[in-house]
């Protein structure tokens, strides 16, 4: 029997992030506490979002609204890399970059964890920005998934191509 395998990846569902951004923008436009603050949230290129408002606390409140919308759409907050509010003329701005992919150091950490604490006979291979885990037994793969989920990494983790 051939090995069973799955991939550990860190991907962004851009459509869900875009929907969350649209919902946050609509809520900001209609909410009373944002009236007259010039609060906006918008895409800044392909991998970044910019929040602007008239004060630091309003910009942080917009970020909280956006985070709430992401959570409701089942997106991990670990994909966000938000900067501190910075002054830009009369406006206070927050830049958010979206993190995607598993760095080689993080992939090595996961691979070492699987080798050290995972079931015997489970192999982990680094393939670019993802990790392929294979084993003869599917039960071992499910144990590895539970092990990786239990760890608190600073990036979002998804499992794909389970076969």
């Amino acid at each position: 029997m051939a090995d069973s395998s799955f991939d550990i990846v860190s991907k962004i569902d851009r459509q869900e992030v875009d929907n969350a951004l649209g919902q946050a923008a609509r809520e900001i436009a209609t909410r009373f506490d944002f009236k007259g603050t010039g609060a906006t949230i918008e895409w800044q290129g392909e991998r970044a979002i910019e929040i602007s408002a008239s004060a630091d606390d309003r910009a942080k409140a917009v970020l909280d609204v956006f985070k709430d919308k992401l959570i409701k759409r089942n997106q991990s907050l670990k994909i966000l890399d938000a900067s501190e509010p910075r002054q830009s003329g009369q406006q206070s701005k927050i830049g958010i970059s979206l993190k995607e992919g598993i760095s080689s150091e993080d992939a090595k950490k996961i691979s070492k964890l699987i080798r050290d604490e995972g079931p015997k006979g489970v192999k982990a291979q680094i393939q670019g920005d993802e990790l392929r885990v294979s084993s003869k037994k599917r039960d071992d793969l499910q144990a590895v998934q539970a092990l990786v989920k239990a760890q608190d990494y600073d990036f979002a983790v998804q499992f794909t191509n389970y076969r």
Side-chain angles (χ1 to χ4, degrees):
M1 188 177 127
D3 282 4
S4 298
S5 69
F6 69 89
D7 294 337
I8 300 174
V9 296
S10 179
K11 296 242 186 286
I12 296 171
D13 187 346
R14 181 158 163 79
Q15 187 61 52
E16 289 294 338
V17 174
D18 193 38
N19 290 344
L21 187 111
Q23 285 180 336
R26 278 194 300 283
E27 182 172 322
I28 290 160
T30 58
R31 256 178 52 177
F32 178 76
D33 57 339
F34 288 116
K35 291 274 191 263
T37 61
T40 60
I41 181 169
E42 59 201 16
W43 284 104
Q44 205 69 33
E46 194 69 18
R47 295 247 174 267
I49 296 168
E50 187 174 73
I51 295 173
S52 62
S54 58
D56 284 359
D57 65 324
R58 291 292 88 202
K60 286 181 180 169
V62 172
L63 180 61
D64 289 341
V65 169
F66 180 54
K67 285 180 178 179
D68 288 344
K69 299 302 178 189
L70 280 176
I71 290 169
K72 284 184 182 164
R73 296 195 151 274
N74 293 329
Q75 297 299 304
S76 172
L77 295 182
K78 293 177 181 178
I79 64 172
L80 300 180
D81 188 15
S83 67
E84 287 299 310
R86 65 185 191 285
Q87 285 300 121
S88 174
Q90 296 289 312
Q91 295 283 312
S92 179
K93 297 188 177 197
I94 298 177
I96 303 170
S97 61
L98 301 176
K99 296 187 288 188
E100 186 171 38
I102 300 175
S103 70
S104 61
E105 300 91 50
D106 292 333
K108 286 176 186 169
K109 273 190 222 167
I110 296 173
S111 180
K112 182 169 174 28
L113 172 81
I114 292 169
R115 271 197 320 273
D116 294 347
E117 298 181 29
K120 297 288 176 238
V122 176
K123 297 184 286 295
Q125 304 154 313
I126 299 171
Q127 299 178 332
D129 62 350
E130 58 186 46
L131 200 69
R132 165 84 33 97
V133 180
S134 56
S135 172
K136 296 250 185 260
K137 297 185 197 145
R138 287 187 163 215
D139 291 347
D140 289 349
L141 292 181
Q142 290 175 334
V144 168
Q145 283 185 346
L147 178 69
V148 172
K149 273 185 193 170
Q151 301 298 314
D152 187 29
Y153 293 112
D154 60 347
F155 54 91
V157 175
Q158 294 97 20
F159 305 106
T160 58
N161 294 336
Y162 187 75
R163 37 181 102 119

